[in-house]
Amino acid sequence: MNPFYFGPSERPLYGAFTRGRSDTGGSHGVLLCYPLGSEYMRAHRAFRQLNTLLNRRGIDVLRFDYSCTGDSAGAGIEADLSTWIDDIDWAVDELRDTALCDRVSVLGLRWGATLAALAARERDDIEHLVLWDPIVRGPDFLEAAIGTTHLSGTVGIEGFPFTPELCAAMAEVNLVSEFPDPGDAAVTVLVAEDRDDYRSVRDAVAARTPSVQYRVVPSPADWSKADPFGDALIPQEIIQVAVDLLDPSEDEG
Amino acid sequence: MKERALTFGPANLVGILTQPSPDVAIPDAPACVILNSGILHRAGASRIYVKVARALAGVGMTTLRFDFSGIGDSEVRRGESIPIEERFIRESREALDYLEESLGVDRFVIGGLCSGADGAFWTAIDDERVVGVWQIDAFSYHTPRYYLHRFLPKLFDPRAWLHSLKVRLKPLNTDTSEDRDELFAKPEYRRIFPPKEVVAEGLSALADRDVALYFLFTGAQEYLYERQHHEAFPEGMKTARVRFIPECAHTMTELEHQELLIADLREWISPLGRSAAPSRDLVAQG
């Protein structure tokens, strides 16, 4: 495992790069995009396990922390949605440079999925975009988390600050009405539960590209649960399917 | 302030070194080492460890936050089966050794939340390079006054009696699911409080070495009043500083509580940066 900082000098991003265990390694790299806030803490271990399984398939993996999150530079109150999208762009480039891979795929969970979809519209070199339990509509997330879509001051959600500016930007997000053009990327909507909003995302993607899959893998998905002791959620079933999706040539399922 | 990702020690533990900018760096200041709480990685619950490290850089001190083996980004240490307390001490000492070898620091402050607090306590007892310990929700023990605080208000409250009855009738947790795949298994830390005498002895040993102590207790612990730790350990707590925030969550989810902790730590730790290390003679006499 190679922990390092990359990206713009004014806001270095923490990354963890691991090379796949393969003689022919370097051909496929996967970027993993975390969820936000307390969900990031809850998902960290699941992402590490996903990372390990992908490495076992010979895939190089980069995990990274967005600006103002985790070990990356910046305070939580400076967090900005458009900067996070830029961060994903930087991370894809970094993965290409570090792994020297021909193919890059991106998997994101919750806000990580939504940000990855928004970042992919700027690129034409993503092979596969996996949207795991994406945040479909920003206002729905905000209503569930803080009971409103508009804030007059910064609030803490399970220990992480959300500013009015960040919430305003989140409130603008709607993957159904405005699913960004994924370019040449195949898109998989990978969800733990069959829901109307997830199916709407599938339909929105299908309007943009024929390369869309909708996979429902019943598994624990309470990412936003407020655990008093900071427990991790590691849904094995859906992680295994994610690995198979990203490496279909060796589908063990 | 500068942050650097690194690996150290025989197990290549992963850490983030946060160093102050040269204009505020205090020469010969102790370095701070922060330990994982449970299975949370080195950013800490609610990212509190990142905030603490950056705040300490602001007062001129270097901090290393790292992941124990099998936690966060650090690999599992294969082929070894040692009690977790021993692993805490061993890997914490590897962090201290790394900082001593790479930066020439020979005095340390060590701290953490929950199991991180436990690890800090055991390491401080074991390693005389430690001159300060901060603990969030450290081992705590009941005192006579604890029982007064706990039961007196409820004695004549019928609702409390009813609640007590419901708690007793609640079914036992019958979840028997097992993580069979080693990859998916979560490291377990079943927090067992040592006998009170052991903690008393440890605190007294630290007091004899003039190790500075800071405690923050949240409402999640069986801790009910500000002086509880002082009364439980009258010998070891003479110079210790305690803050009790009953409404604070164990994972410090309120931003104002995080700010209180950081302000406290900056104030508590600053004199350690200015004071000289206790001489070996004094340590030996203690």
Side-chain angles (χ1 to χ4, degrees):
Chain A
M1 222 275 297
N2 177 27
F4 67 115
Y5 280 92
F6 69 95
S9 57
E10 71 277 11
R11 56 169 213 279
L13 303 169
Y14 172 80
F17 175 75
T18 47
R19 204 167 271 294
R21 293 181 202 164
S22 167
D23 295 339
T24 58
S27 62
H28 190 193
V30 170
L31 177 71
L32 300 181
C33 297
Y34 290 110
L36 298 175
S38 60
E39 296 186 14
Y40 157 76
M41 299 303 298
R42 196 156 161 74
H44 191 275
R45 193 163 187 89
F47 267 48
R48 183 179 145 174
Q49 314 304 45
L50 175 57
N51 188 148
T52 302
L53 288 172
L54 290 168
N55 288 157
R56 286 181 185 173
R57 299 283 189 95
I59 296 172
D60 298 336
V61 176
L62 176 63
R63 288 179 279 130
F64 83 107
D65 294 338
Y66 314 110
S67 301
C68 310
T69 76
D71 290 319
S72 287
I77 53 167
E78 299 163 347
D80 173 68
L81 202 78
S82 61
T83 305
W84 287 339
I85 295 167
D86 288 346
D87 291 344
I88 293 176
D89 211 31
W90 276 96
V92 172
D93 288 340
E94 185 63 37
L95 176 58
R96 280 199 170 282
D97 290 349
T98 304
L100 299 174
C101 50
D102 309 320
R103 301 147 52 211
V104 168
S105 297
V106 180
L107 176 146
L109 170 62
R110 300 275 288 163
W111 270 108
T114 306
L115 294 169
L118 295 168
R121 73 180 159 198
E122 306 290 336
R123 309 191 64 106
D124 57 5
D125 59 349
I126 306 295
E127 179 174 278
H128 193 172
L129 181 61
V130 178
L131 310 178
W132 176 5
D133 286 353
I135 299 295
V136 178
R137 296 181 188 87
D140 293 346
F141 168 84
L142 293 169
E143 285 287 352
I146 52 177
T148 180
T149 56
H150 297 286
L151 288 176
S152 54
T154 298
V155 296
I157 303 178
E158 290 304 315
F160 293 84
F162 281 68
T163 61
E165 296 77 18
L166 177 62
C167 291
M170 286 177 158
E172 296 289 313
V173 172
N174 186 331
L175 286 186
V176 176
S177 63
E178 294 176 47
F179 194 89
D181 184 352
D184 296 330
V187 180
T188 298
V189 183
L190 174 64
V191 293
E193 188 183 353
D194 189 18
R195 291 190 341 209
D196 289 346
D197 58 342
Y198 290 152
R199 272 186 263 119
S200 300
V201 173
R202 174 201 58 194
D203 296 342
V205 180
R208 292 281 193 179
T209 174
S211 304
V212 59
Q213 279 190 76
Y214 181 67
R215 289 288 299 272
V216 181
V217 183
S219 47
D222 52 346
W223 296 105
S224 59
K225 178 185 168 189
D227 187 279
F229 296 98
D231 199 9
L233 182 62
I234 310 175
Q236 299 183 34
E237 307 86 346
I238 203 163
I239 289 173
Q240 193 61 58
V241 171
V243 172
D244 293 339
L245 285 166
L246 289 162
D247 182 33
S249 62
E250 293 186 38
D251 190 336
E252 291 174 350
Chain B
M1 183 200 73
K2 187 174 70 176
E3 288 179 312
R4 188 156 57 92
L6 50 85
T7 59
F8 65 91
N12 286 320
L13 303 176
V14 174
I16 303 292
L17 187 69
T18 305
Q19 292 179 283
S21 56
D23 55 321
V24 297
I26 302 171
D28 302 325
C32 182
V33 172
I34 309 183
L35 311 182
N36 295 119
S37 52
I39 61 168
L40 295 175
H41 74 294
R42 67 198 169 271
S46 308
R47 210 187 179 211
I48 190 69
Y49 288 178
V50 177
K51 294 177 181 180
V52 167
R54 290 175 183 176
L56 296 187
V59 294
M61 294 179 68
T62 293
T63 295
L64 175 62
R65 307 177 276 113
F66 76 98
D67 291 326
F68 287 126
S69 56
I71 307 285
D73 288 334
S74 291
E75 295 293 333
V76 172
R77 214 163 180 144
R78 304 235 172 245
E80 292 184 356
S81 178
I82 58 173
I84 200 156
E85 290 81 4
E86 284 181 34
R87 188 155 63 86
F88 284 159
I89 295 171
R90 177 164 137 191
E91 294 183 351
S92 299
R93 291 190 71 150
E94 286 173 6
L96 270 50
D97 292 345
Y98 167 77
L99 290 170
E100 183 162 13
E101 286 161 19
S102 60
L103 303 178
V105 186
D106 60 2
R107 294 189 303 141
F108 298 93
V109 172
I110 190 163
L113 161 70
C114 191
S115 62
D118 304 347
F121 178 65
W122 298 125
T123 305
I125 292 167
D126 192 64
D127 195 315
E128 294 196 349
R129 292 174 293 179
V130 176
V131 297
V133 184
W134 57 270
Q135 297 178 267
I136 305 170
D137 280 346
F139 299 129
S140 64
Y141 297 84
H142 299 169
T143 61
R145 250 175 88 189
Y146 166 90
Y147 292 103
L148 281 178
H149 278 264
R150 176 155 186 192
F151 295 114
L152 197 58
K154 295 177 180 172
L155 199 58
F156 303 106
D157 180 356
R159 286 168 305 177
W161 284 102
L162 186 63
H163 175 72
S164 161
L165 193 65
K166 282 179 184 165
V167 169
R168 282 161 206 271
L169 293 175
K170 197 173 163 184
L172 293 170
N173 182 359
T174 52
D175 181 6
T176 56
S177 61
E178 291 177 22
D179 287 313
R180 294 184 197 287
D181 186 333
E182 184 196 348
L183 178 67
F184 288 101
K186 285 185 263 187
E188 275 198 25
Y189 178 69
R190 192 166 298 169
R191 199 175 189 207
I192 299 170
F193 283 29
K196 186 178 171 186
E197 296 71 28
V198 173
V199 175
E201 198 176 314
L203 286 172
S204 293
L206 295 179
D208 289 345
R209 278 170 37 208
D210 286 329
V211 173
L213 300 173
Y214 171 87
F215 298 87
L216 186 147
F217 289 100
T218 73
Q221 197 95 332
E222 292 206 339
Y223 200 90
L224 294 181
Y225 61 100
E226 188 94 25
R227 298 283 302 168
Q228 185 173 324
H229 220 49
H230 283 96
E231 290 179 10
F233 302 108
E235 291 305 311
M237 291 287 292
K238 283 176 183 160
T239 58
R241 180 166 170 180
V242 174
R243 182 185 282 276
F244 172 46
I245 313 177
E247 64 278 20
C248 182
H250 183 62
T251 49
M252 305 214 67
T253 49
E254 294 297 324
L255 303 182
E256 62 180 298
H257 300 150
Q258 298 174 11
E259 285 165 13
L260 275 175
L261 169 72
I262 287 165
D264 275 2
L265 285 180
R266 284 171 63 115
E267 191 182 307
W268 169 79
I269 216 166
S270 289
L272 298 177
R274 290 192 291 272
S275 64
S279 74
R280 291 286 167 192
D281 290 346
L282 283 174
V283 169
Q285 285 168 23

